[in-house]
Amino acid sequence: MNSSPQSDGLDRRQFLNKLGGGALAFSAFLAACKGKQAAQAPSHKPAGDVPTDRMTYRINPKTGDKVSLLGYGAMRLPRLSKEHSPSGKGNEIDQEETNRLIDYAIAHGVNYFDTSPRYCEGLSEAALGIALSRHPRDKFFVSTKLSNQTEPSQEASLAIYRRSMELLKVDTFDYYMIHAVGDFATYKKRYLDNGMLDFMLKEREAGRIRNLGWSFHGKKEFFDYMMFESGVKWDFVLIQLNYFDWDITQDKGRSNVDARYQYEVLEKLKVPALIMEPLLGGRLASPNHVAQALMKQTNPDASFASWAFRFAGSFPDVLTVLSGMSYMEHLQDNLRTYSPLVPLSDKEQQMLVGVAKTMLEFKNINCTNCQYCMPCPYGVNIPGLFMHYNKCLNEGNFPSQAQDQNYRQARQAFLLGMDRSVPKLRQANHCIGCGKCVPACPQGIAIPRELRKIDQFVEQLKRNR
Ligand code: SF4
Ligand code: SF4
């Protein structure tokens, strides 16, 4: 994919200009969909066979690793229900199902597996280690991170590093990362002052880290520092890239730098890009109903998620696209998308710009459900509340004006749905605004402010009987 604004058709303003008179048609389309609620087409066609030998691979220019374009992210491994849980509390990893998913992924050509000591409340590495250790070591690349956010001392960081090796049952990390840095002060505290960067560089020299990189959410200045001034030759960078974050960040009023800028720097410096959040925490798999109609109009058989995966995979310097897959159905859909990848046409890219535009109109909260802000000391289920709010907005069933025809129905659905998805004790009115969660959010969401807005909205709905 050529990423220049002239050729890729992904510049929003250019897209609207290109539409010309078509922009009016697009607005009319948007209005029509809003007015009569576009039919909710099924998310995708029923599953056919999943090919075992057609996966698209990319080559790591440094090591020659032949990496599957679909990477398995172990951040949302399947969980046991309460009745099957040995402790009776539920929420433990379902190891049997995890093994089944990993086996299936490997049998269908996936060879990149990513985890972190923080994923699944600290349970991911052990579960992935068990699943992968049942396969020959040369069948997979394993990647994890120095997630020392809460314990940055050298002693604690070294313990994290060694424990990852132990849990993953490996003696080398194929890909190892500085985890989620976005500003210099954090980087200094977690990796420079404690000597951990020096340690990791020595581990790379010794061959125990085959590729050293970092995962990034943050501002341009820090991205530039890491790429141009840090004095380290990075083997890769894990960036957030999807069609919503590509180049319209400014319009969203967010501080994180656009994916386009990051990708273009990496492309220029010939540093492989690894991709996270291709689905924006699942939001692109169930976008608003107007976006759904646009996608179905272009190809009624394609799943919503497949558009996002094709977008991310179409960039040639992308080594792998990570997806946190909890269900076989999702794994199969993603396998089909990349077996093999069919790069997006210009027309399809333009359609996705239109989809991104509808997302701006719907004013979702930019939560990716990463859970980094959790647990809240006051028990608030932050992502659960944001997810419910976004879901109601996207379904076009949002109680905004008391005089709207469907207000009563939408009001009831919002309030009942909220109680069903988030217990009362964990709702927005329990946020005391302490701000503890704010620095943890890689998307830069003003969490207490958004929660206050949701709380006020709920109160208003309750009053408007
Ligand atoms: S600001 Fe609210 S949601 Fe965030 S940690 Fe404090 S109480 Fe919890
Ligand atoms: S609010 Fe931020 S940190 Fe919390 S789940 Fe959403 S994106 Fe992640």
Side-chain angles (χ1 to χ4, degrees):
M1 181 188 283
N2 183 338
S3 62
S4 73
Q6 286 71 29
S7 59
D8 67 10
L10 291 174
D11 182 280
R12 179 181 160 225
R13 282 170 197 86
Q14 193 183 30
F15 169 69
L16 291 173
N17 288 343
K18 260 192 192 178
L19 282 177
L24 290 174
F26 179 75
S27 303
F29 176 79
L30 199 71
C33 287
K34 274 184 178 164
K36 59 182 177 168
Q37 168 74 291
Q40 298 268 328
S43 68
H44 57 78
K45 202 169 128 169
D49 280 345
V50 182
T52 52
D53 56 354
R54 301 187 65 203
M55 172 61 65
T56 295
Y57 291 90
R58 296 275 164 83
I59 305 295
N60 178 332
K62 177 188 143 188
T63 57
D65 290 349
K66 191 178 161 194
V67 178
S68 56
L69 188 54
L70 179 62
Y72 204 116
M75 71 286 281
R76 296 187 183 99
L77 293 175
R79 304 294 184 120
L80 287 172
S81 59
K82 251 189 184 169
E83 59 269 27
H84 295 111
S85 143
S87 68
K89 291 182 189 154
N91 227 24
E92 289 103 337
I93 303 282
D94 183 341
Q95 189 66 51
E96 213 175 297
E97 184 59 9
T98 299
N99 293 352
R100 191 170 83 97
L101 288 164
I102 302 294
D103 293 354
Y104 192 91
I106 290 178
H108 289 77
V110 174
N111 65 7
Y112 190 100
F113 296 86
D114 174 75
T115 180
S116 144
R118 291 194 75 180
Y119 291 169
C120 308
E121 297 92 50
L123 302 174
S124 170
E125 284 189 327
L128 185 66
I130 292 170
L132 287 178
S133 64
R134 298 153 51 256
H135 293 270
R137 181 66 181 93
D138 62 358
K139 286 281 177 210
F140 59 86
F141 301 113
V142 70
S143 120
T144 191
K145 311 177 183 79
L146 185 50
S147 310
N148 59 356
Q149 284 90 333
T150 53
E151 308 164 286
S153 72
Q154 185 182 69
E155 196 189 351
S157 301
L158 286 172
I160 292 171
Y161 180 84
R162 292 187 183 122
R163 191 170 151 76
S164 292
M165 225 170 233
E166 197 182 305
L167 292 175
L168 287 164
K169 303 178 195 294
V170 292
D171 50 18
T172 52
F173 293 123
D174 297 299
Y175 294 78
Y176 197 74
M177 280 172 247
I178 283 173
H179 190 189
V181 283
D183 64 89
F184 185 75
T186 309
Y187 176 62
K188 186 170 175 298
K189 183 169 148 203
R190 285 174 50 198
Y191 302 102
L192 299 185
D193 292 350
N194 60 8
M196 286 313 290
L197 176 65
D198 292 337
F199 170 79
M200 287 186 281
L201 289 169
K202 284 193 188 119
E203 287 294 276
R204 180 167 69 173
E205 263 170 49
R208 280 181 293 272
I209 292 177
R210 294 182 56 243
N211 295 277
L212 180 63
W214 48 291
S215 68
F216 173 72
H217 301 274
K219 294 193 171 68
K220 178 177 172 296
E221 298 70 43
F222 183 67
F223 186 82
D224 287 347
Y225 165 80
M226 290 296 269
M227 294 311 299
F228 301 112
E229 294 164 41
S230 65
V232 182
K233 186 170 173 356
W234 304 107
D235 300 316
F236 68 96
V237 184
L238 177 61
I239 60 171
Q240 176 167 326
L241 183 150
N242 54 64
Y243 61 77
F244 186 60
D245 286 311
W246 178 240
D247 65 356
I248 53 177
T249 304
Q250 297 310 315
D251 292 337
K252 289 178 289 180
R254 285 172 42 184
S255 52
N256 286 357
V257 58
D258 287 344
R260 177 199 281 269
Y261 179 79
Q262 298 170 54
Y263 179 78
E264 286 180 350
V265 170
L266 294 173
E267 186 185 38
K268 202 164 123 197
L269 299 180
K270 307 230 172 309
V271 176
L274 274 65
I275 304 305
M276 60 180 152
E277 302 294 358
L279 281 181
L280 205 49
R283 279 171 56 203
L284 305 186
S286 54
N288 65 71
H289 60 91
V290 183
Q292 290 190 13
L294 274 173
M295 288 192 260
K296 287 292 159 192
Q297 209 175 52
T298 310
N299 180 353
D301 293 335
S303 70
F304 303 128
S306 71
W307 288 109
F309 279 95
R310 284 181 62 207
F311 179 87
S314 292
F315 296 93
D317 289 334
V318 163
L319 190 62
T320 191
V321 179
L322 299 178
S323 174
M325 296 168 281
S326 319
Y327 302 104
M328 184 60 83
E329 187 196 352
H330 297 165
L331 171 59
Q332 289 178 328
D333 187 37
N334 296 343
L335 285 167
R336 271 186 219 103
T337 305
Y338 284 162
S339 301
L341 163 78
V342 178
L344 291 174
S345 68
D346 281 356
K347 199 173 151 215
E348 289 172 326
Q349 288 171 22
Q350 286 179 20
M351 183 275 291
L352 292 181
V353 176
V355 167
K357 183 175 182 292
T358 69
M359 292 176 69
L360 290 174
E361 303 256 347
F362 273 74
K363 297 198 177 7
N364 284 168
I365 298 167
N366 284 313
C367 177
T368 59
N369 197 16
C370 69
Q371 309 273 336
Y372 288 176
C373 55
M374 297 292 281
C376 153
Y378 296 88
V380 179
N381 181 351
I382 305 165
L385 290 160
F386 292 166
M387 291 291 125
H388 174 69
Y389 184 85
N390 285 344
K391 182 172 173 284
C392 290
L393 266 178
N394 288 344
E395 287 172 354
N397 196 20
F398 197 75
S400 40
Q401 305 281 341
Q403 57 272 29
D404 286 354
Q405 221 178 5
N406 72 341
Y407 180 81
R408 214 172 127 172
Q409 225 179 358
R411 172 190 167 277
Q412 202 177 9
F414 187 96
L415 292 174
L416 283 179
M418 174 83 86
D419 288 347
R420 263 189 221 124
S421 45
V422 181
K424 280 197 188 315
L425 279 173
R426 307 195 63 193
Q427 293 187 3
N429 56 341
H430 289 273
C431 170
I432 63 146
C434 70
K436 186 177 167 277
C437 53
V438 177
C441 179
Q443 308 302 328
I445 299 171
I447 297 173
R449 194 181 69 201
E450 295 296 343
L451 287 173
R452 219 165 29 246
K453 270 175 19 196
I454 293 181
D455 183 36
Q456 284 165 358
F457 182 63
V458 167
E459 283 309 310
Q460 185 197 330
L461 290 181
K462 285 181 180 164
R463 280 197 305 272
N464 279 353
R465 281 176 187 279

